[in-house]
Amino acid sequence: MQVFYDRASFSQYINHLKENHKTIGFAPTMGALHNGHLSLYQVARQQNNIVISSIFVNPTQFNNPEDLEKYPRTIDADIKILDSSTFVDAVYIPRVEDIYPNGMVSKHYNFGGIENEMEGAARPGHFDGVGTVVEALFLQVRPDNAYFGEKDFQQLKIIEKLVMLSGLDIKIHGVKIHRQDNGLAMSSRNMRLSADEREASTIIYKTLKNVNDWFRVLSIPEIKKRVEDIFSNNGMQLEYFLIADEDTLKEVNFFSEDKNYRAFIVVHVGSVRLIDNMHLG
Ligand code: PAF
């Protein structure tokens, strides 16, 4: 696996691939890699000649400076994980100036309103930061296919919109949430959980499965009340739980026949903010 630490050498590599008509599959990351990331590269490996990873902890998408500071940085271990996976041909680890040549500011995007729901409302500026870094990476990597985990389902929808708005010829693929055996969704933030907190966090997935059982059996206000009770009884802080239309990502209060729905949840376990979601039905 090749490792590139700056834009100039990486661009030469990409130009060479393009001259040789290689198809490129790409999944950007912020490092602290786990099996969830590898599942993206495993899918990409089957569909492309060349698979590229990137590692860049993007400051502009963190609205909370403490969260940015505490974000795990494990670059040497990450390179080893990618190398031994055999799914990845090259990893790009850009410097700040490679992504932000004109200073570290986000572009402002209008993604048709989905940027204002859920994570957009909870983390102001977050999706402008994500859009800015992903657009910059797309322009440098020039992939044919790009892969994003469904754990960040709203981010996946934002990236689909970003590609449409910017006219980039990149196919976006959503990849199913990768879970530990106990159901906890794989996340770089899980590294910051103690053993007890990890165990306690399994309630998130169990609750989502219950919600799926209650789908179209109970009303949405009844489902929300049950979820709120579960978390108030076990002492974890539920930041939000809601059921949204999968296309608009707007919260709904009743189900219609012809729509797809997904449950979204954010829970604070100790000082760690965990997010998860599940398609209903
Ligand atoms: O999902 C992530 O890890 C990040 O939001 C991404 C897409 C790598 C952009 O920094």
Side-chain angles (χ1 to χ4, degrees):
M1 186 184 73
Q2 302 195 56
V3 185
F4 296 93
Y5 292 97
D6 69 283
R7 184 175 178 174
S9 60
F10 182 66
S11 297
Q12 277 183 6
Y13 171 69
I14 294 295
N15 289 342
H16 179 73
L17 295 176
K18 292 285 170 189
E19 280 156 20
N20 289 286
H21 308 289
K22 301 287 186 198
T23 55
I24 300 177
F26 172 56
T29 80
M30 297 203 298
L33 300 181
H34 49 69
N35 288 341
H37 294 110
L38 293 186
S39 69
L40 306 181
Y41 298 119
Q42 188 170 19
V43 179
R45 180 78 282 162
Q46 291 154 13
Q47 301 177 348
N48 302 276
N49 300 135
I50 297 290
V51 176
I52 297 181
S53 167
S54 66
I55 301 175
F56 180 72
V57 181
N58 174 38
T60 64
Q61 71 187 75
F62 287 83
N63 57 313
N64 176 348
E66 196 187 327
D67 196 22
L68 172 61
E69 195 200 315
K70 288 198 174 149
Y71 201 85
R73 288 160 174 88
T74 55
I75 201 84
D76 295 336
D78 291 344
I79 294 173
K80 282 201 187 109
I81 289 171
L82 291 174
D83 197 17
S84 52
S85 78
T86 72
F87 300 141
V88 176
D89 299 290
V91 55
Y92 178 37
I93 308 175
R95 302 161 307 171
V96 169
E97 59 269 35
D98 293 323
I99 300 294
Y100 295 101
N102 303 318
M104 207 160 49
V105 280
S106 305
K107 281 173 72 171
H108 183 64
Y109 293 92
N110 179 345
F111 293 116
I114 58 170
E115 72 277 20
N116 301 323
E117 306 297 330
M118 299 186 288
E119 290 302 277
R123 304 177 64 188
H126 172 65
F127 288 120
D128 280 339
V130 170
T132 304
V133 71
V134 172
E135 189 174 359
L137 287 166
F138 278 173
L139 291 171
Q140 296 180 33
V141 179
R142 296 158 63 198
D144 300 277
N145 295 293
Y147 300 83
F148 291 84
E150 285 187 354
K151 186 173 81 64
D152 297 300
F153 189 81
Q154 189 175 8
Q155 170 173 278
L156 169 65
K157 293 274 151 192
I158 293 271
I159 304 297
E160 285 171 356
K161 277 263 157 67
L162 173 75
V163 165
M164 264 170 53
L165 290 174
S166 55
L168 292 167
D169 187 15
I170 301 171
K171 184 156 190 249
I172 303 301
H173 302 255
V175 178
K176 293 240 161 311
I177 299 178
H178 201 80
R179 298 184 181 279
Q180 296 181 359
D181 290 344
N182 63 14
L184 181 63
M186 295 267 184
S187 163
S188 304
R189 290 190 162 86
N190 295 354
M191 281 184 192
R192 291 172 47 206
L193 297 171
S194 68
D196 286 350
E197 287 171 341
R198 250 167 217 257
E199 187 49 40
S201 305
T202 58
I203 189 79
I204 299 171
Y205 179 59
K206 287 182 195 138
T207 303
L208 286 174
K209 282 206 303 189
N210 285 334
V211 168
N212 196 35
D213 293 339
W214 299 328
F215 175 56
R216 297 197 194 280
V217 177
L218 299 180
S219 71
I220 292 181
E222 282 167 331
I223 294 175
K224 284 187 83 164
K225 170 83 175 66
R226 286 197 182 190
V227 171
E228 281 157 17
D229 287 349
I230 290 171
F231 285 92
S232 63
N233 291 337
N234 75 9
M236 279 184 199
Q237 190 203 331
L238 177 66
E239 183 180 316
Y240 66 75
F241 166 78
L242 57 86
I243 294 176
D245 178 319
E246 259 186 14
D247 293 323
T248 62
L249 298 186
K250 283 204 179 305
E251 180 172 13
V252 292
N253 291 312
F254 57 88
F255 297 119
S256 329
E257 275 310 311
D258 54 336
K259 297 241 153 84
N260 289 317
Y261 296 103
R262 194 170 276 260
F264 294 87
I265 190 163
V266 176
V267 177
H268 292 254
V269 183
S271 63
V272 185
R273 184 176 188 270
L274 296 177
I275 80 172
D276 203 345
N277 69 77
M278 186 180 279
H279 171 78
L280 300 179

